[in-house]
């Protein structure tokens, strides 16, 4: 028997009922594959698939030239509320 806790630590396919709440963190697709880091009564906690922070200002708040701007990939986790998840597809045993 499958239990929702079995997906923690795996990559799953998720289909969302609404993506408006995800747009602010750079996710615009209505579905995708996500690494599940946890679950609780609020929803699933998943790894952000590619959050980057771009440094475009110097220490004085002035714009940096394009060649001096930097992008740093950030390890981030975000929560998807249960009410916004339409489908979860798990691939047990897949590497």
């Amino acid at each position: 028997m499958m239990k929702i806790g079995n997906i923690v630590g795996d990559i799953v396919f998720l289909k969302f009922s609404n993506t408006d709440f995800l747009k602010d963190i750079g996710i615009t697709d209505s579905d995708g594959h996500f690494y599940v880091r946890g679950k609780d009564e609020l929803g699933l906690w998943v790894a952000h698939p590619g959050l980057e922070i771009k440094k475009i200002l110097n220490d004085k708040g002035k714009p940096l030239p394009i060649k001096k701007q930097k992008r740093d990939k950030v390890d981030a986790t975000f929560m998807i509320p249960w009410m916004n998840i339409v489908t979860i597809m798990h691939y047990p045993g897949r590497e």
Side-chain angles (χ1 to χ4, degrees):
M1 175 183 198
M2 177 66 188
K3 294 189 178 185
I4 196 69
N6 294 347
I7 69 172
V8 175
D10 286 347
I11 293 175
V12 298
F13 172 82
L14 298 174
K15 172 80 174 157
F16 310 120
S17 60
N18 183 346
T19 58
D20 289 343
F21 77 104
L22 297 171
K23 289 179 183 172
D24 289 339
I25 61 170
I27 297 174
T28 56
D29 294 334
S30 63
D31 55 41
H33 287 89
F34 295 89
Y35 178 78
V36 180
R37 291 193 167 155
K39 62 146 186 90
D40 62 20
E41 63 279 353
L42 299 175
L44 284 181
W45 292 88
V46 299
H48 193 289
L51 184 63
E52 290 184 344
I53 295 178
K54 187 174 180 182
K55 182 172 176 159
I56 60 171
L57 302 175
N58 66 17
D59 296 334
K60 295 180 181 180
K62 305 260 182 190
L64 288 168
I66 299 267
K67 291 183 180 183
K68 291 192 175 190
Q69 293 179 6
K70 287 179 23 179
R71 288 181 181 248
D72 292 321
K73 189 163 183 175
V74 178
D75 182 24
T77 301
F78 67 100
M79 193 265 300
I80 303 167
W82 290 119
M83 67 181 188
N84 205 358
I85 298 173
V86 175
T87 302
I88 301 172
M89 184 166 46
H90 183 228
Y91 312 101
R94 184 168 185 219
E95 294 295 320

